[in-house]
Amino acid sequence: MRRILTYGTFDTLHYGHIRLLQRARALGDYLIVGLSTDEFNARKNKQAFHSWEERKAHLEALRYVDLVIPERTWEQKPDDVRLYHVDVFTMGSDWAGKFDDLASLCEVVYLERTNGISSTMIRSSLQPA
Ligand code: C2G
């Protein structure tokens, strides 16, 4: 079984996220998502609209996602790769190069980011004019 690992906030789930998860899952047979906790988002200077539990439920409803684990720190990735016997680590291309150090543990693949959609865009478009 070829196991894939990715991370993110996945707030206000949209087709950019879904396309990423679909392509990530297609890299193997089992997709694990490290979902940023609300506390870790604060460290990323991100304020998610949905709680971690809500964002976890959204991901678990997708056919592409097999397991959701908490992402609490930047540093947990190598331990997660070992613990879950990950074959491929993948992220969207806006992260290209940032996690190449994991190449000593598993394959590292950056998937083209989907242009024209983001959680920030969604939130700002809903603001009253
Ligand atoms: N993404 C994408 N296209 C978009 C928006 C996001 O392909 N239009 C991808 C991102 O590249 C990322 C994933 O979807 O791989 C999740 O995006 P975010 O929720 O914004 O994740 P981020 O805040 O970048 O957190 O340790 C890594 C961090 O947790 C990543």
Side-chain angles (χ1 to χ4, degrees), residues 24-35:
R25 176 65 173 73
L27 293 172
D29 312 289
Y30 189 89
L31 175 60
I32 302 161
V33 179
L35 182 62

Side-chain angles (χ1 to χ4, degrees), residues 1-6 20-31 64 87-91 107-111:
M1 176 185 288
R2 196 161 149 82
R3 303 159 71 87
I4 317 297
L5 174 63
T6 192
L20 186 282
L21 295 166
Q22 181 180 15
R23 288 173 292 154
R25 176 65 173 73
L27 293 172
D29 312 289
Y30 189 89
L31 175 60
Y64 308 118
D87 299 287
V88 184
F89 167 85
T90 188
M91 289 295 294
E107 285 177 54
V108 176
V109 173
Y110 298 105
L111 298 168

Side-chain angles (χ1 to χ4, degrees), residues 75-124:
E75 298 79 17
Q76 73 182 74
K77 294 183 175 67
D79 290 341
D80 288 345
V81 169
R82 293 187 192 97
L83 179 64
Y84 294 97
H85 308 290
V86 168
D87 299 287
V88 184
F89 167 85
T90 188
M91 289 295 294
S93 54
D94 46 315
W95 291 94
K98 299 288 193 306
F99 303 112
D100 291 354
D101 57 305
L102 293 172
S104 59
L105 298 172
C106 62
E107 285 177 54
V108 176
V109 173
Y110 298 105
L111 298 168
E112 192 59 35
R113 180 186 174 89
T114 302
N115 291 323
I117 185 74
S118 70
S119 303
T120 309
M121 278 175 67
I122 293 169
R123 275 206 292 276
S124 55

Side-chain angles (χ1 to χ4, degrees), residues 13-72:
L13 198 62
H14 54 67
Y15 67 85
H17 296 137
I18 291 168
R19 285 190 70 247
L20 186 282
L21 295 166
Q22 181 180 15
R23 288 173 292 154
R25 176 65 173 73
L27 293 172
D29 312 289
Y30 189 89
L31 175 60
I32 302 161
V33 179
L35 182 62
S36 308
T37 61
D38 297 333
E39 296 76 15
F40 183 53
N41 272 331
R43 288 177 59 187
K44 294 197 286 186
N45 295 318
K46 272 193 151 182
Q47 169 74 38
F49 177 79
H50 295 292
S51 70
W52 187 82
E53 290 73 15
E54 289 166 337
R55 291 181 282 121
K56 178 174 183 281
H58 298 163
L59 291 178
E60 288 173 338
L62 297 178
R63 72 178 71 168
Y64 308 118
V65 176
D66 296 287
L67 177 66
V68 178
I69 61 173
E71 179 187 31
R72 295 191 172 89

